[in-house]
Amino acid sequence: MTTTAPNLTQPLIHEPDQSEPPAPTTALGPLEFLVGTWTNQNLANDNQGGPASPYSYCLMPLPQEESYILKNFSYYEEITFSAIHGTAPNRGGYGTQVANTLFYEQRIYFADGPAKDQLVHAENGSWLYLTDAKQLLGPYGNGEKPGLGDQTVPNSQAPSQKYDIIKQMSVPHGNSILSAGSYANKTGSPVIEPPPLILPTGVNTDQYKVKNVGNLNPEFTENPNLPLATAIQKNPASSYIQFDVDSNDGGHPVTNIGFEQQHAKVSRYFARYWLESFGSSDYTQLQYSQTIVMDIPVNGTVISFPHVTTNTLTKKN
């Protein structure tokens, strides 16, 4: 069977046109720079980075009878971020937490191996930038008067929260994840080190080190962030925004359907994103390393395996 490569020329989502109110991108804080479509493209002065040779890697364990196997590979993707024409205010009585929202849609394809160009992962969700505000008086800020207004509840106070970045994601394996975190503006180029939780403990890991159809690049298996570090070393950034989110922060949950709870339960998700600029005010490169902790029974013992995905993306013009 042959596979036709996907058409990546069109954005995956498009917010319906509306002149008033406009999509409030300036209220999105650092998320504003994600708006648009990102794909694997050859990097500046480099013949690598595109679908044929992406700076990416996926480390993925799979249950196999009373043991496990690996399905590790490089991949390419398309991801579109779209601002909605409004906000999602969470009213608390005396204060409001405003969720400024980006929707996203993602498709991931094998870049190598026997299933090259086939879809391997699809995902959608939203990113939220949380801000604080006083609570409007009445349903529309005008109390009981007609029309819209900006009156606030007497004694209203803007709340505060520890985390101002939220990632919500839905995966068609039957998993939903809610993670929280923060961001930081930094100068220079990021130093990308190996991610935590590289190998599981309490189980034989010899297959992680042997090249075979399920483990095409043992060097990347040892350090899935190596493609990211190589890409940024070839073309250093001048500044970047770093996002960190974790499902353990803020008491946010991970949910799984019944089958997954028994055989490959997702118990944690954490990720770091680097949104990078190269000598201008534009952010044109997006790198990420995300880890999904999967609890897989092996010979009667539940073992926590890291499922790591990393990629280097370029914003489409």
Side-chain angles (χ1 to χ4, degrees):
M1 181 181 70
T2 60
T3 300
T4 302
N7 181 354
L8 303 181
T9 61
Q10 300 295 322
L12 290 172
I13 55 175
H14 177 71
E15 182 70 7
D17 292 332
Q18 183 178 4
S19 59
E20 290 294 340
T25 55
T26 55
L28 290 166
L31 300 181
E32 174 185 358
F33 303 107
L34 289 174
V35 174
T37 296
W38 304 74
T39 59
N40 285 91
Q41 301 173 44
N42 286 349
L43 306 188
N45 304 316
D46 192 358
N47 61 358
Q48 291 183 287
S53 55
Y55 288 105
S56 70
Y57 198 63
C58 174
L59 166 60
M60 185 167 70
L62 296 174
Q64 184 82 4
E65 296 179 345
E66 293 301 317
S67 183
Y68 74 96
I69 58 173
L70 296 176
K71 189 177 181 180
N72 302 342
F73 50 87
S74 294
Y75 64 91
Y76 62 95
E77 71 177 273
E78 180 180 21
I79 183 168
T80 297
F81 299 90
S82 179
I84 64 174
H85 287 262
T87 60
N90 300 317
R91 301 189 180 191
Y94 288 94
T96 299
Q97 184 183 76
V98 181
N100 305 278
T101 307
L102 276 185
F103 285 159
Y104 77 91
E105 190 84 25
Q106 182 182 34
R107 299 288 185 273
I108 289 178
Y109 304 87
F110 289 106
D112 53 21
K116 185 178 184 299
D117 293 326
Q118 291 186 19
L119 180 73
V120 62
H121 179 81
E123 179 184 315
N124 61 20
S126 57
W127 283 81
L128 313 178
Y129 175 58
L130 302 180
T131 57
D132 307 312
K134 294 183 177 181
Q135 183 147 319
L136 291 177
L137 182 65
Y140 298 105
N142 247 356
E144 295 300 321
K145 298 177 182 178
L148 303 176
D150 57 5
Q151 299 180 59
T152 58
V153 172
N155 302 318
S156 179
Q157 293 185 347
S160 63
Q161 66 279 324
K162 184 177 181 180
Y163 304 108
D164 53 8
I165 297 292
I166 304 291
K167 183 184 180 185
Q168 302 176 138
M169 53 194 287
S170 177
V171 182
H173 290 288
N175 317 109
S176 296
I177 298 173
L178 188 60
S179 56
S182 57
Y183 74 97
N185 292 288
K186 302 192 177 188
T187 58
S189 195
V191 177
I192 300 180
E193 299 177 341
L197 296 174
I198 294 302
L199 293 179
T201 58
V203 69
N204 188 300
T205 57
D206 289 346
Q207 61 178 295
Y208 278 74
K209 306 168 188 176
V210 178
K211 184 175 181 178
N212 54 50
V213 69
N215 189 29
L216 298 175
N217 194 327
E219 185 181 19
F220 289 175
T221 300
E222 182 180 3
N223 177 11
N225 281 0
L226 186 58
L228 306 182
T230 301
I232 200 64
Q233 287 169 4
K234 286 188 174 182
N235 187 27
S238 57
S239 63
Y240 62 101
I241 305 172
Q242 180 175 303
F243 301 90
D244 289 282
V245 291
D246 194 323
S247 62
N248 280 356
D249 290 338
H252 298 309
V254 179
T255 57
N256 305 264
I257 61 173
F259 186 87
E260 291 291 84
Q261 291 178 38
Q262 299 175 52
H263 301 288
K265 175 185 175 182
V266 175
S267 58
R268 184 186 175 193
Y269 165 86
F270 58 92
R272 173 166 289 179
Y273 287 73
W274 298 268
L275 186 56
E276 297 153 349
S277 177
F278 299 87
S280 71
S281 59
D282 294 331
Y283 291 86
T284 58
Q285 183 166 284
L286 177 64
Q287 297 188 288
Y288 67 81
S289 175
Q290 63 178 18
T291 299
I292 294 174
V293 180
M294 300 172 63
D295 295 340
I296 299 175
V298 178
N299 293 322
T301 301
V302 176
I303 305 295
S304 293
F305 288 85
H307 170 23
V308 186
T309 50
T310 67
N311 203 0
T312 300
L313 302 170
T314 301
K315 193 170 188 177
K316 291 179 69 173
N317 294 327

